[in-house]
Amino acid sequence: MVKTPEPIRAPIRALFAPVRALFVGDASAGILLILVAAAAMLLANSTLSHEYHELFHGTLGFTPVTKLNTLHLWVNDGLMAIFFFVVGLEVKREWIEGQLSSADQRRLPVLAAVAGMIVPAGVYLFFVQGAAPELAQGWAIPAATDIAFAMGVLGLLGNRVPASLRLFLLTVAIVDDIGAVLIIAVAYTAGIKLTWLIGAIVIVGIMLALNRMRVKTVVPFLILAIALWFFVLNSGVHATIAGVVAALTIPMVGKDDNTMLEKLEHGLAPWSAYLIVPVFGFANAGVDLSDLGMEGVLAPLPLAIAAGLFLGKQVGIVAAIFAADKIDFAPRPHGASWAEIWGVSILCGIGFTMSLFIGELAFPGYRLLIDEAKIGILLGSACSAVLGYTILRMTTKHPGDTQGLAKES
């Protein structure tokens, strides 16, 4: 068998590295999101457009929950509650024994995440000033970062990116999720129905009591979590908040070395990443561009969201890291250059899942504004993904590159 010379194999490996990365590591979930978003856009602008929209927005012949009478509502208010439950489990684990467990570890990602939410919101409000007053309700849309999408793009780079930057991106995205959940609970809550809310509070109290009693079986927690979701759904608070609250009551105890929380997280995380989030993306990313036209694509709303994600995120996060490093509040990620930090900060502008979710909440009943918001989210996320990947590809070195240089010298 003829062996290909190393000088030929090296450029071939470099050429096909991104292709290999699609199927391994952190990239797969992000790539799946890209594919389902593309599929949704293609269907929404094809001869099957009516069938696509009817599938998700047509009234169901039967539904066990009267408030959820379309498949779209079941996805957004039902399936996504499980997504938020997994987010809550991850946040609790990281806060108790992970990368957010000490004040020193929390300083930089918390500061960067807060700046990465405030600045995009400010950019958004700057772009929509003077436009329709209801557009101000969308200020939080560009404030969120999509963990799977951003980590997926980072995964395409293999082990080029320093481990400290990968950890930084993950922790910023986790803190970002906490902020997004608080925003949804406070800013996008409808009229409160007190009876249902009191019932939800009672259920949370029972779950906390089970936690304090160190109950080691998961069944009562899951039954109460479903009941909590139903009560919160009817209370006026968005139903997905029930997922986060329920997760925070899950105890860090178990019958063996793995805690109940870890078992649930490990069991549900793949379903969330590879089923729930893609289904959500497929149900929400499709926009019929013929209804918008170029005027709709270039309207104040999509431009404001795209600018918030693409410009606001990177400016806010880089500025926060630079200031923290200069005043010795928190050092920048170990072993990372400022160019690499800039590249990762741009990746934080990939909003997709959480941004699409907030977009639906920000403009209830305004189908045109929701579609315009989706265009802005897709545009801003795509620009952030492409530029962030390009900068990191140009400024980072693969370990193999370094070894090759050492041999030549």
Side-chain angles (χ1 to χ4, degrees):
M1 182 176 178
V2 179
K3 188 176 181 181
T4 307
E6 179 62 29
I8 298 176
R9 291 205 308 269
I12 292 177
R13 283 201 305 268
L15 178 64
F16 286 98
V19 179
R20 292 198 311 273
L22 295 181
F23 305 100
V24 297
D26 298 322
S28 53
I31 296 303
L32 181 58
L33 272 182
I34 295 173
L35 293 176
V36 297
M41 287 296 292
L42 287 173
L43 282 174
N45 291 277
S46 71
T47 55
L48 297 174
S49 174
H50 174 75
E51 288 77 7
Y52 169 78
H53 288 288
E54 187 64 23
L55 171 65
F56 290 107
H57 296 283
T59 302
L60 296 173
F62 167 77
T63 176
V65 181
T66 54
K67 286 180 69 71
L68 307 182
N69 60 355
T70 68
L71 186 57
H72 186 263
L73 288 173
W74 270 105
V75 170
N76 284 27
D77 291 358
L79 276 182
M80 286 301 284
I82 302 174
F83 165 78
F84 278 88
F85 182 73
V86 175
V87 169
L89 293 173
E90 183 178 27
V91 167
K92 181 173 181 177
R93 177 179 53 76
E94 291 289 344
W95 199 270
I96 292 177
E97 60 181 24
Q99 300 304 322
L100 299 174
S101 59
S102 70
D104 289 342
Q105 291 173 307
R106 288 194 289 264
R107 283 179 186 171
L108 187 62
V110 169
L111 178 65
V114 170
M117 298 181 82
I118 292 175
V119 176
V123 171
Y124 172 90
L125 291 173
F126 174 80
F127 272 81
V128 299
Q129 63 179 339
E134 61 266 20
L135 296 187
Q137 299 173 30
W139 62 270
I141 296 174
T145 295
D146 189 287
I147 295 179
F149 214 143
M151 293 301 292
V153 174
L154 208 60
L156 293 175
L157 295 158
N159 53 359
R160 285 174 171 267
V161 180
S164 62
L165 269 184
R166 287 175 172 273
L167 180 60
F168 173 76
L169 176 60
L170 183 61
T171 49
V172 166
I174 290 170
V175 177
D176 203 301
D177 279 345
I178 297 173
V181 168
L182 292 174
I183 288 171
I184 292 170
V186 174
Y188 298 117
T189 291
I192 298 296
K193 296 178 180 177
L194 197 58
T195 303
W196 287 101
L197 185 60
I198 292 173
I201 293 172
V202 170
I203 293 172
V204 173
I206 295 172
M207 295 181 77
L208 289 173
L210 293 177
N211 185 315
R212 293 295 297 271
M213 293 164 61
R214 302 184 70 80
V215 171
K216 295 183 179 181
T217 178
V218 73
V219 174
F221 286 98
L222 294 181
I223 292 173
L224 288 168
I226 295 171
L228 177 62
W229 168 80
F230 183 74
F231 273 74
V232 172
L233 175 68
N234 288 281
S235 71
V237 178
H238 199 273
T240 52
I241 299 302
V244 178
V245 174
L248 298 180
T249 68
I250 302 299
M252 297 282 284
V253 298
K255 296 179 180 179
D256 48 36
D257 293 338
N258 291 324
T259 67
M260 184 190 300
L261 185 145
E262 289 173 324
K263 286 181 179 178
L264 276 174
E265 184 185 354
H266 294 160
L268 291 174
W271 290 97
S272 176
Y274 294 101
L275 178 63
I276 293 171
V277 172
V279 167
F280 170 83
F282 185 68
N284 288 274
V287 182
D288 188 348
L289 297 177
S290 64
D291 291 343
L292 293 175
M294 190 55 66
E295 183 179 336
V297 174
L298 299 178
L301 179 58
L303 291 181
I305 293 171
L309 286 170
F310 182 64
L311 298 176
K313 277 288 185 181
Q314 58 175 293
V315 170
I317 292 175
V318 170
I321 297 172
F322 182 81
D325 188 62
K326 288 300 178 183
I327 65 174
D328 292 327
F329 177 76
R332 72 175 190 254
H334 176 72
S337 68
W338 283 110
E340 291 169 339
I341 290 172
W342 179 37
V344 167
S345 298
I346 295 173
L347 290 185
C348 290
I350 302 174
F352 201 71
T353 305
M354 198 69 82
S355 293
L356 287 173
F357 191 80
I358 294 175
E360 291 278 346
L361 300 179
F363 307 114
Y366 292 92
R367 194 71 249 163
L368 179 61
L369 292 183
I370 291 174
D371 285 346
E372 287 185 359
K374 291 177 182 179
I375 292 297
I377 293 165
L378 294 172
L379 181 61
S381 297
C383 290
S384 298
V386 171
L387 183 61
Y389 174 86
T390 302
I391 289 174
L392 289 170
R393 184 79 184 178
M394 293 172 60
T395 58
T396 55
K397 290 289 185 181
H398 192 280
D401 299 339
T402 305
Q403 291 170 9
L405 291 173
K407 289 178 181 178
E408 290 177 9
S409 61

